[in-house]
Amino acid sequence: MHGPLSAAWLLVALCAATGAYCLLRLRSDVEEQRRTAGGEALMGFGMALMAVPAAVLTPPHWAWLLYATVFGAAALRALWASRTGTHHLHHLVGTFAMAYMAVAMAVRPEAHAHHGGAGAPALTGALFLYFTAYVLWSGARLVPATTTATAAAGTLAAGWGDRPELAQACRLSMGIGMLAMLLTM
């Protein structure tokens, strides 16, 4: 039990740190950064809460319904925003996955509350494949195409909230976190 418990705490820390950086991005002077930072902070902190080990905290039934409502509303917002840009489609899939996992946790019997097997296997598998592809794609985008000196010279003036490579790394870490959460379903 020590292995899975420590892995769960690492996931909590990763997601909380990602959410905190996304809050920092809300202070950015770049409008595109601010526009997506709030939703990504919600995802990061929501994933951190959902990843807290059940041995430490078992949320009541109504908490899962609250998570499902919040992320369902965020999915509707992402669906509305996707009319103007395809970037929001990833947010739509992510918020839908969070709402799906919360509903799966809310409807499963208490006797099996911490032993996996929740959700529809086909939908869980499809979401797992999507996030696997997303993690591989976004990880490949982080590989620098220029020399380190050129890249460092271009980012010295940027503030912490205006660094697109950090925002991409946060999205990558949330994708990895989502894969870990889907594996436990």
Side-chain angles (χ1 to χ4, degrees), residues 100-136:
Y100 164 69
M101 287 188 287
V103 167
M105 294 298 288
V107 300
R108 73 179 175 179
E110 287 300 317
H112 303 287
H114 305 295
H115 299 291
L123 183 54
T124 303
L127 289 169
F128 187 81
L129 287 175
Y130 171 81
F131 282 104
T132 299
Y134 180 78
V135 163
L136 293 172

PDB file of all heavy atoms in Angstrom, residues 100-136:
ATOM      1  N   TYR A 100     -17.021  13.231 -15.907  1.00  0.00           N
ATOM      2  CA  TYR A 100     -17.267  11.797 -16.054  1.00  0.00           C
ATOM      3  C   TYR A 100     -16.719  11.020 -14.862  1.00  0.00           C
ATOM      4  O   TYR A 100     -17.400  10.148 -14.299  1.00  0.00           O
ATOM      5  CB  TYR A 100     -16.640  11.312 -17.369  1.00  0.00           C
ATOM      6  CG  TYR A 100     -16.480   9.823 -17.480  1.00  0.00           C
ATOM      7  CD1 TYR A 100     -17.591   8.980 -17.604  1.00  0.00           C
ATOM      8  CD2 TYR A 100     -15.222   9.243 -17.461  1.00  0.00           C
ATOM      9  CE1 TYR A 100     -17.438   7.613 -17.708  1.00  0.00           C
ATOM     10  CE2 TYR A 100     -15.064   7.877 -17.568  1.00  0.00           C
ATOM     11  CZ  TYR A 100     -16.169   7.066 -17.685  1.00  0.00           C
ATOM     12  OH  TYR A 100     -16.019   5.713 -17.792  1.00  0.00           O
ATOM     13  N   MET A 101     -15.491  11.325 -14.453  1.00  0.00           N
ATOM     14  CA  MET A 101     -14.905  10.610 -13.312  1.00  0.00           C
ATOM     15  C   MET A 101     -15.670  10.907 -12.024  1.00  0.00           C
ATOM     16  O   MET A 101     -15.868  10.024 -11.192  1.00  0.00           O
ATOM     17  CB  MET A 101     -13.426  10.969 -13.154  1.00  0.00           C
ATOM     18  CG  MET A 101     -12.550  10.339 -14.219  1.00  0.00           C
ATOM     19  SD  MET A 101     -10.789  10.553 -13.943  1.00  0.00           S
ATOM     20  CE  MET A 101     -10.572  12.274 -14.331  1.00  0.00           C
ATOM     21  N   ALA A 102     -16.116  12.156 -11.859  1.00  0.00           N
ATOM     22  CA  ALA A 102     -16.884  12.506 -10.658  1.00  0.00           C
ATOM     23  C   ALA A 102     -18.223  11.772 -10.638  1.00  0.00           C
ATOM     24  O   ALA A 102     -18.643  11.269  -9.587  1.00  0.00           O
ATOM     25  CB  ALA A 102     -17.095  14.014 -10.593  1.00  0.00           C
ATOM     26  N   VAL A 103     -18.894  11.694 -11.769  1.00  0.00           N
ATOM     27  CA  VAL A 103     -20.166  10.960 -11.832  1.00  0.00           C
ATOM     28  C   VAL A 103     -19.928   9.484 -11.548  1.00  0.00           C
ATOM     29  O   VAL A 103     -20.695   8.856 -10.809  1.00  0.00           O
ATOM     30  CB  VAL A 103     -20.851  11.163 -13.204  1.00  0.00           C
ATOM     31  CG1 VAL A 103     -21.986  10.175 -13.422  1.00  0.00           C
ATOM     32  CG2 VAL A 103     -21.357  12.588 -13.335  1.00  0.00           C
ATOM     33  N   ALA A 104     -18.870   8.919 -12.113  1.00  0.00           N
ATOM     34  CA  ALA A 104     -18.556   7.510 -11.867  1.00  0.00           C
ATOM     35  C   ALA A 104     -18.303   7.253 -10.386  1.00  0.00           C
ATOM     36  O   ALA A 104     -18.730   6.227  -9.849  1.00  0.00           O
ATOM     37  CB  ALA A 104     -17.338   7.091 -12.693  1.00  0.00           C
ATOM     38  N   MET A 105     -17.653   8.183  -9.713  1.00  0.00           N
ATOM     39  CA  MET A 105     -17.410   8.023  -8.276  1.00  0.00           C
ATOM     40  C   MET A 105     -18.710   8.185  -7.483  1.00  0.00           C
ATOM     41  O   MET A 105     -18.894   7.536  -6.462  1.00  0.00           O
ATOM     42  CB  MET A 105     -16.374   9.038  -7.790  1.00  0.00           C
ATOM     43  CG  MET A 105     -14.991   8.834  -8.370  1.00  0.00           C
ATOM     44  SD  MET A 105     -14.273   7.251  -7.942  1.00  0.00           S
ATOM     45  CE  MET A 105     -13.923   7.514  -6.230  1.00  0.00           C
ATOM     46  N   ALA A 106     -19.601   9.045  -7.959  1.00  0.00           N
ATOM     47  CA  ALA A 106     -20.852   9.299  -7.233  1.00  0.00           C
ATOM     48  C   ALA A 106     -21.827   8.125  -7.340  1.00  0.00           C
ATOM     49  O   ALA A 106     -22.558   7.852  -6.387  1.00  0.00           O
ATOM     50  CB  ALA A 106     -21.523  10.565  -7.759  1.00  0.00           C
ATOM     51  N   VAL A 107     -21.826   7.412  -8.449  1.00  0.00           N
ATOM     52  CA  VAL A 107     -22.831   6.367  -8.652  1.00  0.00           C
ATOM     53  C   VAL A 107     -22.370   4.975  -8.245  1.00  0.00           C
ATOM     54  O   VAL A 107     -23.196   4.081  -8.133  1.00  0.00           O
ATOM     55  CB  VAL A 107     -23.334   6.321 -10.117  1.00  0.00           C
ATOM     56  CG1 VAL A 107     -23.971   7.628 -10.504  1.00  0.00           C
ATOM     57  CG2 VAL A 107     -22.225   5.935 -11.072  1.00  0.00           C
ATOM     58  N   ARG A 108     -21.099   4.784  -7.996  1.00  0.00           N
ATOM     59  CA  ARG A 108     -20.669   3.429  -7.635  1.00  0.00           C
ATOM     60  C   ARG A 108     -20.984   3.136  -6.180  1.00  0.00           C
ATOM     61  O   ARG A 108     -20.970   4.030  -5.342  1.00  0.00           O
ATOM     62  CB  ARG A 108     -19.204   3.208  -7.957  1.00  0.00           C
ATOM     63  CG  ARG A 108     -18.222   3.889  -7.083  1.00  0.00           C
ATOM     64  CD  ARG A 108     -16.854   3.515  -7.561  1.00  0.00           C
ATOM     65  NE  ARG A 108     -15.855   4.252  -6.825  1.00  0.00           N
ATOM     66  CZ  ARG A 108     -14.574   4.107  -7.028  1.00  0.00           C
ATOM     67  NH1 ARG A 108     -14.150   3.291  -7.951  1.00  0.00           N
ATOM     68  NH2 ARG A 108     -13.724   4.786  -6.318  1.00  0.00           N
ATOM     69  N   PRO A 109     -21.265   1.881  -5.892  1.00  0.00           N
ATOM     70  CA  PRO A 109     -21.624   1.491  -4.522  1.00  0.00           C
ATOM     71  C   PRO A 109     -20.477   1.742  -3.550  1.00  0.00           C
ATOM     72  O   PRO A 109     -19.316   1.614  -3.898  1.00  0.00           O
ATOM     73  CB  PRO A 109     -21.914  -0.008  -4.628  1.00  0.00           C
ATOM     74  CG  PRO A 109     -22.035  -0.305  -6.068  1.00  0.00           C
ATOM     75  CD  PRO A 109     -21.327   0.774  -6.821  1.00  0.00           C
ATOM     76  N   GLU A 110     -20.827   2.087  -2.324  1.00  0.00           N
ATOM     77  CA  GLU A 110     -19.825   2.384  -1.297  1.00  0.00           C
ATOM     78  C   GLU A 110     -18.937   1.195  -0.976  1.00  0.00           C
ATOM     79  O   GLU A 110     -17.788   1.352  -0.616  1.00  0.00           O
ATOM     80  CB  GLU A 110     -20.510   2.878  -0.014  1.00  0.00           C
ATOM     81  CG  GLU A 110     -21.064   4.270  -0.132  1.00  0.00           C
ATOM     82  CD  GLU A 110     -20.004   5.320  -0.459  1.00  0.00           C
ATOM     83  OE1 GLU A 110     -18.901   5.285   0.122  1.00  0.00           O
ATOM     84  OE2 GLU A 110     -20.270   6.175  -1.313  1.00  0.00           O
ATOM     85  N   ALA A 111     -19.462  -0.010  -1.087  1.00  0.00           N
ATOM     86  CA  ALA A 111     -18.663  -1.187  -0.756  1.00  0.00           C
ATOM     87  C   ALA A 111     -17.459  -1.333  -1.684  1.00  0.00           C
ATOM     88  O   ALA A 111     -16.439  -1.881  -1.310  1.00  0.00           O
ATOM     89  CB  ALA A 111     -19.529  -2.443  -0.835  1.00  0.00           C
ATOM     90  N   HIS A 112     -17.570  -0.820  -2.897  1.00  0.00           N
ATOM     91  CA  HIS A 112     -16.485  -0.919  -3.869  1.00  0.00           C
ATOM     92  C   HIS A 112     -15.896   0.454  -4.168  1.00  0.00           C
ATOM     93  O   HIS A 112     -15.318   0.666  -5.214  1.00  0.00           O
ATOM     94  CB  HIS A 112     -16.996  -1.555  -5.163  1.00  0.00           C
ATOM     95  CG  HIS A 112     -17.611  -2.895  -4.950  1.00  0.00           C
ATOM     96  ND1 HIS A 112     -16.858  -4.003  -4.670  1.00  0.00           N
ATOM     97  CD2 HIS A 112     -18.908  -3.288  -4.938  1.00  0.00           C
ATOM     98  CE1 HIS A 112     -17.667  -5.041  -4.515  1.00  0.00           C
ATOM     99  NE2 HIS A 112     -18.909  -4.638  -4.669  1.00  0.00           N
ATOM    100  N   ALA A 113     -16.028   1.380  -3.246  1.00  0.00           N
ATOM    101  CA  ALA A 113     -15.660   2.773  -3.499  1.00  0.00           C
ATOM    102  C   ALA A 113     -14.186   2.987  -3.786  1.00  0.00           C
ATOM    103  O   ALA A 113     -13.841   3.959  -4.414  1.00  0.00           O
ATOM    104  CB  ALA A 113     -16.082   3.649  -2.319  1.00  0.00           C
ATOM    105  N   HIS A 114     -13.322   2.090  -3.362  1.00  0.00           N
ATOM    106  CA  HIS A 114     -11.904   2.353  -3.554  1.00  0.00           C
ATOM    107  C   HIS A 114     -11.178   1.199  -4.229  1.00  0.00           C
ATOM    108  O   HIS A 114     -10.003   1.002  -4.021  1.00  0.00           O
ATOM    109  CB  HIS A 114     -11.260   2.670  -2.199  1.00  0.00           C
ATOM    110  CG  HIS A 114     -11.961   3.785  -1.498  1.00  0.00           C
ATOM    111  ND1 HIS A 114     -11.975   5.065  -1.989  1.00  0.00           N
ATOM    112  CD2 HIS A 114     -12.707   3.802  -0.378  1.00  0.00           C
ATOM    113  CE1 HIS A 114     -12.685   5.822  -1.175  1.00  0.00           C
ATOM    114  NE2 HIS A 114     -13.145   5.080  -0.201  1.00  0.00           N
ATOM    115  N   HIS A 115     -11.899   0.459  -5.035  1.00  0.00           N
ATOM    116  CA  HIS A 115     -11.280  -0.692  -5.666  1.00  0.00           C
ATOM    117  C   HIS A 115     -11.364  -0.630  -7.186  1.00  0.00           C
ATOM    118  O   HIS A 115     -11.247  -1.643  -7.844  1.00  0.00           O
ATOM    119  CB  HIS A 115     -11.925  -1.987  -5.165  1.00  0.00           C
ATOM    120  CG  HIS A 115     -11.770  -2.167  -3.695  1.00  0.00           C
ATOM    121  ND1 HIS A 115     -10.563  -2.431  -3.117  1.00  0.00           N
ATOM    122  CD2 HIS A 115     -12.668  -2.085  -2.687  1.00  0.00           C
ATOM    123  CE1 HIS A 115     -10.712  -2.529  -1.804  1.00  0.00           C
ATOM    124  NE2 HIS A 115     -11.981  -2.324  -1.527  1.00  0.00           N
ATOM    125  N   GLY A 116     -11.555   0.525  -7.766  1.00  0.00           N
ATOM    126  CA  GLY A 116     -11.593   0.650  -9.208  1.00  0.00           C
ATOM    127  C   GLY A 116     -12.874   0.081  -9.793  1.00  0.00           C
ATOM    128  O   GLY A 116     -13.809  -0.252  -9.087  1.00  0.00           O
ATOM    129  N   GLY A 117     -12.915  -0.039 -11.108  1.00  0.00           N
ATOM    130  CA  GLY A 117     -14.060  -0.629 -11.774  1.00  0.00           C
ATOM    131  C   GLY A 117     -15.208   0.332 -11.992  1.00  0.00           C
ATOM    132  O   GLY A 117     -16.296  -0.092 -12.339  1.00  0.00           O
ATOM    133  N   ALA A 118     -14.997   1.628 -11.773  1.00  0.00           N
ATOM    134  CA  ALA A 118     -16.066   2.600 -11.981  1.00  0.00           C
ATOM    135  C   ALA A 118     -16.044   3.085 -13.427  1.00  0.00           C
ATOM    136  O   ALA A 118     -15.020   3.068 -14.082  1.00  0.00           O
ATOM    137  CB  ALA A 118     -15.893   3.780 -11.031  1.00  0.00           C
ATOM    138  N   GLY A 119     -17.189   3.533 -13.898  1.00  0.00           N
ATOM    139  CA  GLY A 119     -17.264   4.108 -15.229  1.00  0.00           C
ATOM    140  C   GLY A 119     -17.458   3.077 -16.314  1.00  0.00           C
ATOM    141  O   GLY A 119     -17.397   1.870 -16.088  1.00  0.00           O
ATOM    142  N   ALA A 120     -17.708   3.563 -17.507  1.00  0.00           N
ATOM    143  CA  ALA A 120     -17.887   2.715 -18.678  1.00  0.00           C
ATOM    144  C   ALA A 120     -16.517   2.406 -19.274  1.00  0.00           C
ATOM    145  O   ALA A 120     -15.771   3.329 -19.611  1.00  0.00           O
ATOM    146  CB  ALA A 120     -18.766   3.427 -19.701  1.00  0.00           C
ATOM    147  N   PRO A 121     -16.169   1.134 -19.408  1.00  0.00           N
ATOM    148  CA  PRO A 121     -14.826   0.788 -19.899  1.00  0.00           C
ATOM    149  C   PRO A 121     -14.505   1.376 -21.276  1.00  0.00           C
ATOM    150  O   PRO A 121     -13.380   1.814 -21.502  1.00  0.00           O
ATOM    151  CB  PRO A 121     -14.849  -0.740 -19.949  1.00  0.00           C
ATOM    152  CG  PRO A 121     -15.907  -1.145 -18.981  1.00  0.00           C
ATOM    153  CD  PRO A 121     -16.926  -0.045 -19.011  1.00  0.00           C
ATOM    154  N   ALA A 122     -15.479   1.408 -22.177  1.00  0.00           N
ATOM    155  CA  ALA A 122     -15.203   1.949 -23.511  1.00  0.00           C
ATOM    156  C   ALA A 122     -14.903   3.442 -23.458  1.00  0.00           C
ATOM    157  O   ALA A 122     -13.965   3.918 -24.105  1.00  0.00           O
ATOM    158  CB  ALA A 122     -16.391   1.676 -24.431  1.00  0.00           C
ATOM    159  N   LEU A 123     -15.678   4.195 -22.685  1.00  0.00           N
ATOM    160  CA  LEU A 123     -15.444   5.637 -22.567  1.00  0.00           C
ATOM    161  C   LEU A 123     -14.143   5.914 -21.829  1.00  0.00           C
ATOM    162  O   LEU A 123     -13.370   6.796 -22.227  1.00  0.00           O
ATOM    163  CB  LEU A 123     -16.620   6.312 -21.862  1.00  0.00           C
ATOM    164  CG  LEU A 123     -16.556   7.831 -21.735  1.00  0.00           C
ATOM    165  CD1 LEU A 123     -16.330   8.503 -23.082  1.00  0.00           C
ATOM    166  CD2 LEU A 123     -17.829   8.345 -21.084  1.00  0.00           C
ATOM    167  N   THR A 124     -13.880   5.156 -20.781  1.00  0.00           N
ATOM    168  CA  THR A 124     -12.624   5.309 -20.050  1.00  0.00           C
ATOM    169  C   THR A 124     -11.446   5.026 -20.980  1.00  0.00           C
ATOM    170  O   THR A 124     -10.457   5.766 -20.987  1.00  0.00           O
ATOM    171  CB  THR A 124     -12.577   4.368 -18.830  1.00  0.00           C
ATOM    172  OG1 THR A 124     -13.703   4.647 -17.989  1.00  0.00           O
ATOM    173  CG2 THR A 124     -11.303   4.547 -18.039  1.00  0.00           C
ATOM    174  N   GLY A 125     -11.553   3.979 -21.783  1.00  0.00           N
ATOM    175  CA  GLY A 125     -10.496   3.638 -22.738  1.00  0.00           C
ATOM    176  C   GLY A 125     -10.294   4.711 -23.789  1.00  0.00           C
ATOM    177  O   GLY A 125      -9.159   5.041 -24.149  1.00  0.00           O
ATOM    178  N   ALA A 126     -11.395   5.267 -24.298  1.00  0.00           N
ATOM    179  CA  ALA A 126     -11.288   6.326 -25.301  1.00  0.00           C
ATOM    180  C   ALA A 126     -10.612   7.569 -24.703  1.00  0.00           C
ATOM    181  O   ALA A 126      -9.750   8.186 -25.345  1.00  0.00           O
ATOM    182  CB  ALA A 126     -12.670   6.679 -25.843  1.00  0.00           C
ATOM    183  N   LEU A 127     -10.997   7.926 -23.491  1.00  0.00           N
ATOM    184  CA  LEU A 127     -10.357   9.069 -22.833  1.00  0.00           C
ATOM    185  C   LEU A 127      -8.885   8.781 -22.557  1.00  0.00           C
ATOM    186  O   LEU A 127      -8.030   9.659 -22.722  1.00  0.00           O
ATOM    187  CB  LEU A 127     -11.082   9.420 -21.532  1.00  0.00           C
ATOM    188  CG  LEU A 127     -12.454  10.057 -21.697  1.00  0.00           C
ATOM    189  CD1 LEU A 127     -13.189  10.119 -20.361  1.00  0.00           C
ATOM    190  CD2 LEU A 127     -12.331  11.440 -22.316  1.00  0.00           C
ATOM    191  N   PHE A 128      -8.572   7.552 -22.166  1.00  0.00           N
ATOM    192  CA  PHE A 128      -7.187   7.171 -21.928  1.00  0.00           C
ATOM    193  C   PHE A 128      -6.361   7.293 -23.206  1.00  0.00           C
ATOM    194  O   PHE A 128      -5.244   7.826 -23.188  1.00  0.00           O
ATOM    195  CB  PHE A 128      -7.114   5.748 -21.363  1.00  0.00           C
ATOM    196  CG  PHE A 128      -5.735   5.356 -20.947  1.00  0.00           C
ATOM    197  CD1 PHE A 128      -5.225   5.761 -19.727  1.00  0.00           C
ATOM    198  CD2 PHE A 128      -4.934   4.586 -21.778  1.00  0.00           C
ATOM    199  CE1 PHE A 128      -3.933   5.409 -19.343  1.00  0.00           C
ATOM    200  CE2 PHE A 128      -3.647   4.235 -21.401  1.00  0.00           C
ATOM    201  CZ  PHE A 128      -3.145   4.646 -20.186  1.00  0.00           C
ATOM    202  N   LEU A 129      -6.901   6.830 -24.326  1.00  0.00           N
ATOM    203  CA  LEU A 129      -6.187   6.945 -25.607  1.00  0.00           C
ATOM    204  C   LEU A 129      -6.000   8.407 -25.997  1.00  0.00           C
ATOM    205  O   LEU A 129      -4.929   8.794 -26.475  1.00  0.00           O
ATOM    206  CB  LEU A 129      -6.941   6.194 -26.702  1.00  0.00           C
ATOM    207  CG  LEU A 129      -6.884   4.677 -26.631  1.00  0.00           C
ATOM    208  CD1 LEU A 129      -7.775   4.058 -27.711  1.00  0.00           C
ATOM    209  CD2 LEU A 129      -5.452   4.188 -26.763  1.00  0.00           C
ATOM    210  N   TYR A 130      -7.032   9.235 -25.811  1.00  0.00           N
ATOM    211  CA  TYR A 130      -6.915  10.659 -26.137  1.00  0.00           C
ATOM    212  C   TYR A 130      -5.795  11.310 -25.322  1.00  0.00           C
ATOM    213  O   TYR A 130      -4.947  12.012 -25.876  1.00  0.00           O
ATOM    214  CB  TYR A 130      -8.240  11.391 -25.885  1.00  0.00           C
ATOM    215  CG  TYR A 130      -8.074  12.892 -26.010  1.00  0.00           C
ATOM    216  CD1 TYR A 130      -8.070  13.486 -27.266  1.00  0.00           C
ATOM    217  CD2 TYR A 130      -7.874  13.690 -24.894  1.00  0.00           C
ATOM    218  CE1 TYR A 130      -7.874  14.852 -27.394  1.00  0.00           C
ATOM    219  CE2 TYR A 130      -7.680  15.053 -25.012  1.00  0.00           C
ATOM    220  CZ  TYR A 130      -7.683  15.627 -26.259  1.00  0.00           C
ATOM    221  OH  TYR A 130      -7.465  16.980 -26.389  1.00  0.00           O
ATOM    222  N   PHE A 131      -5.804  11.084 -24.008  1.00  0.00           N
ATOM    223  CA  PHE A 131      -4.801  11.739 -23.173  1.00  0.00           C
ATOM    224  C   PHE A 131      -3.404  11.164 -23.396  1.00  0.00           C
ATOM    225  O   PHE A 131      -2.417  11.885 -23.256  1.00  0.00           O
ATOM    226  CB  PHE A 131      -5.210  11.714 -21.695  1.00  0.00           C
ATOM    227  CG  PHE A 131      -6.251  12.743 -21.396  1.00  0.00           C
ATOM    228  CD1 PHE A 131      -7.572  12.380 -21.220  1.00  0.00           C
ATOM    229  CD2 PHE A 131      -5.928  14.086 -21.333  1.00  0.00           C
ATOM    230  CE1 PHE A 131      -8.543  13.330 -20.979  1.00  0.00           C
ATOM    231  CE2 PHE A 131      -6.889  15.053 -21.087  1.00  0.00           C
ATOM    232  CZ  PHE A 131      -8.203  14.673 -20.912  1.00  0.00           C
ATOM    233  N   THR A 132      -3.308   9.898 -23.773  1.00  0.00           N
ATOM    234  CA  THR A 132      -2.001   9.343 -24.134  1.00  0.00           C
ATOM    235  C   THR A 132      -1.454  10.063 -25.360  1.00  0.00           C
ATOM    236  O   THR A 132      -0.289  10.485 -25.378  1.00  0.00           O
ATOM    237  CB  THR A 132      -2.107   7.828 -24.403  1.00  0.00           C
ATOM    238  OG1 THR A 132      -2.557   7.183 -23.211  1.00  0.00           O
ATOM    239  CG2 THR A 132      -0.777   7.249 -24.841  1.00  0.00           C
ATOM    240  N   ALA A 133      -2.288  10.216 -26.385  1.00  0.00           N
ATOM    241  CA  ALA A 133      -1.860  10.934 -27.590  1.00  0.00           C
ATOM    242  C   ALA A 133      -1.524  12.386 -27.266  1.00  0.00           C
ATOM    243  O   ALA A 133      -0.529  12.928 -27.762  1.00  0.00           O
ATOM    244  CB  ALA A 133      -2.952  10.861 -28.659  1.00  0.00           C
ATOM    245  N   TYR A 134      -2.323  13.017 -26.414  1.00  0.00           N
ATOM    246  CA  TYR A 134      -2.071  14.412 -26.052  1.00  0.00           C
ATOM    247  C   TYR A 134      -0.743  14.560 -25.306  1.00  0.00           C
ATOM    248  O   TYR A 134       0.023  15.487 -25.574  1.00  0.00           O
ATOM    249  CB  TYR A 134      -3.215  14.970 -25.198  1.00  0.00           C
ATOM    250  CG  TYR A 134      -2.981  16.405 -24.820  1.00  0.00           C
ATOM    251  CD1 TYR A 134      -3.214  17.427 -25.736  1.00  0.00           C
ATOM    252  CD2 TYR A 134      -2.481  16.746 -23.568  1.00  0.00           C
ATOM    253  CE1 TYR A 134      -2.963  18.740 -25.408  1.00  0.00           C
ATOM    254  CE2 TYR A 134      -2.234  18.056 -23.231  1.00  0.00           C
ATOM    255  CZ  TYR A 134      -2.475  19.054 -24.157  1.00  0.00           C
ATOM    256  OH  TYR A 134      -2.218  20.367 -23.828  1.00  0.00           O
ATOM    257  N   VAL A 135      -0.467  13.656 -24.381  1.00  0.00           N
ATOM    258  CA  VAL A 135       0.790  13.720 -23.619  1.00  0.00           C
ATOM    259  C   VAL A 135       1.983  13.546 -24.557  1.00  0.00           C
ATOM    260  O   VAL A 135       2.969  14.290 -24.468  1.00  0.00           O
ATOM    261  CB  VAL A 135       0.792  12.662 -22.489  1.00  0.00           C
ATOM    262  CG1 VAL A 135       2.188  12.421 -21.952  1.00  0.00           C
ATOM    263  CG2 VAL A 135      -0.137  13.097 -21.371  1.00  0.00           C
ATOM    264  N   LEU A 136       1.909  12.595 -25.463  1.00  0.00           N
ATOM    265  CA  LEU A 136       3.006  12.394 -26.416  1.00  0.00           C
ATOM    266  C   LEU A 136       3.183  13.604 -27.319  1.00  0.00           C
ATOM    267  O   LEU A 136       4.309  14.057 -27.567  1.00  0.00           O
ATOM    268  CB  LEU A 136       2.767  11.126 -27.238  1.00  0.00           C
ATOM    269  CG  LEU A 136       2.835   9.813 -26.454  1.00  0.00           C
ATOM    270  CD1 LEU A 136       2.398   8.651 -27.330  1.00  0.00           C
ATOM    271  CD2 LEU A 136       4.224   9.601 -25.884  1.00  0.00           C
TER     272      LEU A 136
END
